[in-house]
Amino acid sequence: MRVRRLRKHPAELEVTAFINLIVVLLPFLLSTAVFTRMSVLELSLPARHTGGIEQLQANDLKLEIVIRRDAIEVGDRIGGLIQRIPAVNGTQDLRTLSALMLEIKRRFPDTTTASILAEPDTSYDLLVQVMDATRATYTAEGANLVRTDLFPDVAIGDAPVIKR
């Protein structure tokens, strides 16, 4: 008996529909894509280290802002605590912080660095607000608001642990 074999024709790949889909989708996807611009703020990690603003040495300010749950502590790493700004009704007093930063900047005009030390449970929003208050402030001159750079070179780190 003779064996019958089926002739197999090679399968053809039909890609026309796929190419048509790509031709339509590609311009649509490119036109609706959102291109974001990321801004980067360079930070450096601080080195580590109590007095008022009058006791600080003129050329050796190592400004540290420590964000605690109940207060913001502004101090000099070497000279100690300058001022403790307690939280008001559970929120940090950023206006007082900004005014204190302006006063410190007037006393130390050449200093541009500050270290912000935050406790582990500090919110990101609060950290950014403290950074903004440390880096610059706006003062009214007549009818205009003038931006004044305070301490633009900011370093971020962990706050020292308080032993209770």
Side-chain angles (χ1 to χ4, degrees):
M1 182 165 157
R2 226 166 129 180
V3 177
R4 247 187 187 178
R5 291 192 179 171
L6 295 175
R7 290 187 184 176
K8 292 185 180 179
H9 297 288
E12 292 182 18
L13 186 60
E14 185 62 41
V15 294
T16 307
F18 180 71
I19 292 174
N20 288 339
L21 179 70
I22 295 299
V23 166
V24 171
L25 281 181
L26 191 63
F28 175 74
L29 291 175
L30 286 176
S31 66
T32 60
V34 176
F35 297 103
T36 59
R37 188 183 70 150
M38 302 267 305
S39 61
V40 176
L41 177 64
E42 280 193 37
L43 302 174
S44 59
L45 295 176
R48 286 274 172 183
H49 201 141
T50 294
I53 193 170
E54 295 79 19
Q55 297 175 351
L56 299 175
Q57 295 177 358
N59 296 327
D60 197 23
L61 177 69
K62 305 288 186 220
L63 187 63
E64 284 187 342
I65 298 102
V66 181
I67 305 171
R68 303 270 182 214
R69 180 177 294 129
D70 59 342
I72 295 176
E73 299 171 352
V74 179
D76 181 28
R77 188 174 307 130
I78 299 166
L81 184 66
I82 296 172
Q83 184 174 344
R84 186 172 193 275
I85 304 169
V88 179
N89 296 330
T91 59
Q92 299 293 354
D93 189 2
L94 297 173
R95 288 186 184 200
T96 305
L97 175 65
S98 183
L100 180 61
M101 291 295 110
L102 186 59
E103 182 182 339
I104 293 171
K105 184 62 175 182
R106 286 183 181 144
R107 180 152 164 96
F108 302 98
D110 296 334
T111 303
T112 61
T113 60
S115 298
I116 298 177
L117 308 175
E119 290 184 332
D121 59 343
T122 303
S123 70
Y124 180 74
D125 184 45
L126 177 60
L127 180 63
V128 170
Q129 288 177 4
V130 170
M131 285 174 60
D132 289 342
T134 303
R135 293 175 57 224
T137 189
Y138 292 91
T139 54
E141 289 186 8
N144 298 329
L145 283 177
V146 177
R147 177 188 164 115
T148 304
D149 285 335
L150 299 173
F151 302 97
D153 301 328
V154 176
I156 296 177
D158 290 331
V161 178
I162 297 176
K163 296 178 184 176
R164 298 177 192 238

